[in-house]
Amino acid sequence: MSRYWPATVATLLALSACSQPKSGTPAITPTATTPPVTTTQPLVDEVETPPPPPPPEQHEATGAAGTVIHESVTVVENEPEPVKKESAFESNSWTTAVGLSGGAGGTYGGRGASTRGGSAESYANVAPSGYLTPEASPMSTFAADVDTASFRNVLRQLTAGRTPNVHSVRLEEFVNAMRYDLEAPGPRTTFAIDTEVAACPWNDAHELVRIAVRTREIETAKLPPCNLVFLIDISGSMSSAGKLPLLKRAFGLLIDQLRPQDHVSIVTYASGVKIVLDSANGSERTRIHDALAALQTRGGTNGQGGIQAAYELAVKNTVPGINRVLLATDGDFNVGIRSADELESFISEKKKLGVFLSVLGFGTGNLKDDRLERLANRGDGTYSYIDDLQTARRVLVEQFGASMMTIAKDVKLQTEWNQKQVARFRLLGYENRALATKDFTDDAKDGGEVGAGHTVTALYEIERVASAAATNEPLATLRIRYKPPQGDTSREVSEQILPAKSATAPLSRNGHVAATAAAIALHLRGDDHGGTITEASLTKMAAAVSRAQNPELRAMADAMVALQKLKAEAAAASKGGEQPR
């Protein structure tokens, strides 16, 4: 498998005029298989920490696949003082990767960021994770991530006939961008947990472990009042059709969902900051639409000043419900930033007041992906990339509750692998969400935030101990630690992951979707352990995915095939045009 596709965009575009690629891929009907093997265990009692709690009051509810889930909640009359929070994303390697260490090159997109050719886009340069052994490292710990920006951004690059920047591919965001058919949690539980162990599609000697965690959905009508501040970049770099014009249409969809109890403010920033609208209520939709429609691009980009003004408005207009700043930009904060760390500290402090940040990335050629992802992490929010109105509708309308209302904060996952069963393992993706083992129980370390109706999916590729293949001893123990939205006392749930009945057990439909998304990401990254992944195998895997449920995944597979054909035709045309020596 080629690690990088070598042809330049300019060459491809020039040669494609002579030979256009064929579109579409043949339909492949998946072969019939036996039912997938999934593992679902009752959760261990959920308890709050710290010490020492009185006997818990236990509730019983029906969870995924009809399993009874026991969740115990201890009432603590006097909660301890909140500990000072420290980001879970503070590792030196990650800080350096996005150029946040201060001093020369210490701004976003600086030292360690990945750019390409004449493009001003920048991405964090994060090395893929490798295999670990349970003997040396039995614990695998990471913060939850529900961002999806990477998938949409890479699809945009492929659709444009470009080989994606390898650092723009974040595997976990591919997997979490998919739609799954998962059972919702019971009325008294925070999460429904679904685990699965099956054959690995790209390595016959390995197995794939899928972990899925889902929160319950909340209808928009039942959401608490919303206090939203649109923080909109109207600098000169936002003038193209895929930026401010699309942004206006996207926010227009959200405005149409507002209820009378909701409030919207609008702050713009360019070379200066302007409060366009101060807390108009949801019954004033026309007024909000008019204010949005009147926006025009101008000047430079004082992003820091805009964020400060937006948070001041959000705090001033706080409601007993959802308080959130929605930053919409291409990420080019190139004026007025004295210190990136100072800006992030400001955002981190404001979330203590109950004001969170969601980030919407727009446009091409200037996208500061590394920066936008980092800001969303700091603000307890999500990072989405919007390149068309359909995606805007999904993020701002269909997933409004998930995007706006936090169900669990500081969510961390930890798997403890059984060395009697597992020879080695690797977590696919989540490289920039990795935590030290001790960080799991350290409440001073941030985890990730999960909204209403969100699903967090993680995949492990494992190699079994040969002598343990016939035993039913657990492969691993999964633990999830989190806090309720309005509290600082952590809770934990746990579940054992049992082996499949057969090493050749096929993936379930949900497992196949997740594996296909992961395989595409591995191939685009040129993964060293990608096994038998090829364009042909990816086409076959994608053909078995429902186009109605996950049309974007099918579109990405088609775009990869089209790009490969274009390159092959370009290479053939180039070779045919060579003059004999």
Side-chain angles (χ1 to χ4, degrees), residues 226 228 230 254 258 262-266 277-281 288:
C226 296
L228 307 177
F230 299 169
L254 191 156
L258 295 175
D262 300 325
H263 290 78
V264 166
S265 300
I266 299 178
L277 201 62
D278 186 349
S279 195
N281 66 53
I288 302 171

Side-chain angles (χ1 to χ4, degrees), residues 4 9-10 17 66 143 160 217 235 273 301 316 319 356 371 420 566:
Y4 297 105
V9 175
E217 294 183 4
S235 62
V273 176
T301 315
K316 178 174 77 77
V319 298
F356 301 129
R371 171 172 221 190
K420 295 179 182 180
L566 177 61

Side-chain angles (χ1 to χ4, degrees), residues 7 30 36 75 83 202 255 267 330 375 391 401:
V75 178
V83 293
W202 54 84
I255 293 168
V267 176
D330 59 5
L375 289 178
T391 305

Side-chain angles (χ1 to χ4, degrees), residues 247-329:
L247 184 158
K248 290 181 181 181
R249 297 176 68 195
F251 274 125
L253 296 174
L254 191 156
I255 293 168
D256 289 338
Q257 308 305 309
L258 295 175
R259 305 158 301 172
Q261 63 266 38
D262 300 325
H263 290 78
V264 166
S265 300
I266 299 178
V267 176
T268 62
Y269 65 92
S271 54
V273 176
K274 181 179 180 181
I275 297 176
V276 177
L277 201 62
D278 186 349
S279 195
N281 66 53
S283 61
E284 301 177 282
R285 290 184 185 177
T286 300
R287 181 185 170 205
I288 302 171
H289 274 297
D290 290 346
L292 184 67
L295 300 182
Q296 295 182 344
T297 58
R298 57 186 173 83
T301 315
N302 182 4
Q304 184 180 42
I307 284 181
Q308 289 170 334
Y311 272 100
E312 287 173 5
L313 270 184
V315 172
K316 178 174 77 77
N317 299 318
T318 296
V319 298
I322 298 169
N323 299 280
R324 189 171 291 272
V325 173
L326 281 73
L327 169 60
T329 177

Side-chain angles (χ1 to χ4, degrees), residues 9 36 46 73 108 112 171 194 205 238 255 280 334 338 342 350-351 362 390 396 401 408 452 458 509 538 553 560:
V9 175
E46 177 178 326
V73 179
Y108 290 96
L171 186 149
D194 183 38
M238 291 288 291
I255 293 168
N334 52 21
R338 298 185 301 275
E342 179 184 344
K350 293 302 180 184
K351 71 183 180 184
F362 287 83
Q390 181 179 353
L396 297 175
R509 184 168 62 178
L538 291 175
L553 187 60
M560 288 178 63

Side-chain angles (χ1 to χ4, degrees), residues 108-164:
Y108 290 96
R111 181 174 62 244
S114 171
T115 58
R116 179 136 151 207
S119 173
E121 296 182 1
S122 61
Y123 302 93
N125 189 346
V126 182
S129 57
Y131 281 98
L132 299 172
T133 63
E135 292 87 350
S137 304
M139 303 287 194
S140 172
T141 309
F142 60 98
D145 183 12
V146 293
D147 293 350
T148 60
S150 175
F151 179 82
R152 287 300 313 182
N153 183 29
V154 171
L155 178 57
R156 179 262 302 181
Q157 295 175 68
L158 284 167
T159 303
R162 292 172 46 195
T163 301

Side-chain angles (χ1 to χ4, degrees), residues 187-251:
R188 295 179 181 272
T189 54
T190 302
F191 301 114
I193 301 175
D194 183 38
T195 63
E196 173 183 7
V197 181
C200 179
W202 54 84
N203 191 325
D204 292 339
H206 291 178
E207 293 177 77
L208 211 57
V209 177
R210 178 179 61 86
I211 297 169
V213 179
R214 181 188 168 182
T215 58
R216 62 184 174 275
E217 294 183 4
I218 299 178
E219 296 176 15
T220 300
K222 296 181 180 179
L223 290 172
C226 296
N227 165 35
L228 307 177
V229 180
F230 299 169
L231 175 56
I232 299 176
D233 180 355
I234 60 167
S235 62
S237 67
M238 291 288 291
S239 61
S240 61
K243 295 186 180 182
L244 185 59
L246 175 60
L247 184 158
K248 290 181 181 181
R249 297 176 68 195
F251 274 125

